[in-house]
Amino acid sequence: MTKKLFTSYDLKGLHVNNRIVMAPMCQYSVTAKDGKPNEWHYVHYLSRAIGGTGLIIMEMTDVDPDGRITDFDLGIWSDDHIPAFARIIDGVHAHNGKIGIQIAHAGRKAEDAAVPVAPSAIQFTGSAYKMPRALTTEEVQDMVQKFGEAARRAVQAGVDTIELHGAHGYLIHQFQSPLTNKRDDIYGQDLARFGVEVIQAVKKEMPSDMPLIFRISAVEYANGGYDIDHAIELSKAYQAAGVDAFHVSSGGEGPAGERKPGNYPGYQVPFARKIREALNVPVIAVGMLEDPALAESVIGSEDADLVAIARGMLRDPYWATHAAITLRNEPNNIPEQYARAY
């Protein structure tokens, strides 16, 4: 019997061969500091496609040079970036994989920007971070358009899906959090507004059958941070604006206070289930799910529709193939060149 983890899944026009997602993880490997993926990224992503991953989400890719966490991060702020991304995407497709890209801006967490920008002039904790400058209302509107232009380039490069990074304390998250958004304009009066406008701008550039994924921090751990109820209300606004699935994580807004992240396998799964049930929307669960039996149980219990594997897939590009063997599910994705090893 085919395990649930290895059943196919359709999200709008995106068909994936199994429920396994490679979570986006920064490689900090753009040695030329030009934002363009290089040979490291090419091998990194293609090896996961060869290893049987259903959907690969490329790491945080920034809409502006000063939106990078570091100058070694990927960017898609120029049409000059398109060919390098297209090479990776074409390669993944050649190995029967599907691939998306996570579009983002680091906001106040941009370590190498001379003067980071943010919703409000509130510095992130730690010596690596500078005091940010608050964006003007006009600059916020310009930023929305930068996300739209980044999406256009991603579509031109051939992606199967786009994920917006609204988690882990980066710019969209900063706008949606009462801890970091102290504005008195329209973007402070409605904490979902920036995210909604970004979603709308991005959707305009996407084919109608291409799904838009939104990564959200379901709870914040800093004292005074928002809870799951706030995340659900945000998600409702984002869903209405055009989000087709949510990738549910948590935290990243600052040092943990009285509430601590679980940091045990599956600790974020209940957040994914709550958003799935509240919105009747597909969700991706993430967070220490690399035990194949646990990943299978998340899908089998209908806590989530897909599971994202992060560090487990850094350790093992063939995680999907090895999970199939562990679960005694006949692997159907072993390259012919490697078949005799199995």
Side-chain angles (χ1 to χ4, degrees), residues 57-112:
I57 303 179
M58 280 187 281
E59 67 204 80
M60 179 171 167
T61 302
D62 299 292
V63 303
D64 185 270
D66 283 342
R68 292 173 289 178
I69 302 170
T70 78
D71 287 347
F72 295 98
D73 291 345
L74 294 180
I76 196 163
W77 61 79
S78 165
D79 287 359
D80 291 341
H81 292 99
I82 294 172
F85 283 102
R87 177 174 178 249
I88 292 172
I89 293 162
D90 290 345
V92 167
H93 289 162
H95 292 288
N96 204 32
K98 298 296 172 65
I99 184 166
I101 189 171
Q102 186 188 72
I103 294 174
H105 189 292
R108 69 178 187 155
K109 293 178 81 173
E111 297 174 23
D112 288 342

Side-chain angles (χ1 to χ4, degrees), residues 11-282:
L11 181 59
K12 295 187 75 174
L14 172 63
H15 176 82
V16 291
N17 293 328
N18 56 51
R19 309 297 185 96
I20 300 165
V21 178
M22 180 185 183
M25 293 169 284
C26 289
Q27 297 296 290
Y28 304 108
S29 295
V30 184
T31 51
K33 299 185 180 182
D34 57 2
K36 296 177 183 178
N38 55 32
E39 201 67 18
W40 173 264
H41 302 90
Y42 182 80
V43 173
H44 176 63
Y45 291 116
L46 262 67
S47 61
R48 273 70 187 176
I50 294 168
T53 305
L55 173 63
I56 294 163
I57 303 179
M58 280 187 281
E59 67 204 80
M60 179 171 167
T61 302
D62 299 292
V63 303
D64 185 270
D66 283 342
R68 292 173 289 178
I69 302 170
T70 78
D71 287 347
F72 295 98
D73 291 345
L74 294 180
I76 196 163
W77 61 79
S78 165
D79 287 359
D80 291 341
H81 292 99
I82 294 172
F85 283 102
R87 177 174 178 249
I88 292 172
I89 293 162
D90 290 345
V92 167
H93 289 162
H95 292 288
N96 204 32
K98 298 296 172 65
I99 184 166
I101 189 171
Q102 186 188 72
I103 294 174
H105 189 292
R108 69 178 187 155
K109 293 178 81 173
E111 297 174 23
D112 288 342
V115 181
V117 297
S120 303
I122 303 171
Q123 188 173 359
F124 191 79
T125 303
S127 59
Y129 303 99
K130 307 177 182 76
M131 175 62 73
R133 175 181 64 80
L135 292 160
T136 67
T137 302
E138 184 178 351
E139 286 174 328
V140 175
Q141 293 165 346
D142 289 342
M143 187 70 71
V144 169
Q145 295 310 308
K146 288 183 180 182
F147 275 88
E149 285 294 299
R152 174 185 60 78
R153 296 180 187 112
V155 170
Q156 284 184 237
V159 295
D160 300 297
T161 184
I162 290 173
E163 177 174 284
L164 290 173
H165 201 346
H168 303 164
Y170 299 116
L171 188 65
I172 298 176
H173 184 171
Q174 291 163 31
F175 271 94
Q176 72 194 19
S177 172
L179 288 177
T180 46
N181 186 345
K182 305 295 185 182
R183 303 176 67 90
D184 55 12
D185 66 356
I186 55 176
Y187 295 101
Q189 294 157 13
D190 177 2
L191 297 182
R193 181 163 185 141
F194 178 69
V196 164
E197 290 188 3
V198 167
I199 291 161
Q200 292 170 337
V202 166
K203 290 288 281 191
K204 286 180 182 177
E205 304 294 340
M206 296 171 62
S208 60
D209 64 342
M210 181 184 289
L212 177 62
I213 302 168
F214 190 98
R215 195 172 211 193
I216 190 166
S217 281
V219 300
E220 294 181 325
Y221 297 106
N223 289 334
Y226 67 69
D227 208 337
I228 185 67
D229 291 342
H230 181 66
I232 287 172
E233 291 307 307
L234 290 168
S235 298
K236 287 178 179 177
Y238 296 157
Q239 183 184 31
V243 170
D244 299 295
F246 288 91
H247 189 171
V248 184
S249 188
S250 64
E253 75 292 337
E258 293 180 8
R259 176 164 56 188
K260 310 291 184 187
N263 286 334
Y264 55 83
Y267 76 98
Q268 295 182 137
V269 172
F271 303 142
R273 186 180 186 101
K274 286 182 179 180
I275 289 176
R276 187 177 192 263
E277 291 177 342
L279 278 70
N280 190 28
V281 66

Side-chain angles (χ1 to χ4, degrees), residues 284-298:
I284 305 170
V286 69
M288 303 174 71
L289 301 179
E290 58 260 35
D291 183 323
L294 175 57
E296 169 69 15
S297 72
V298 170

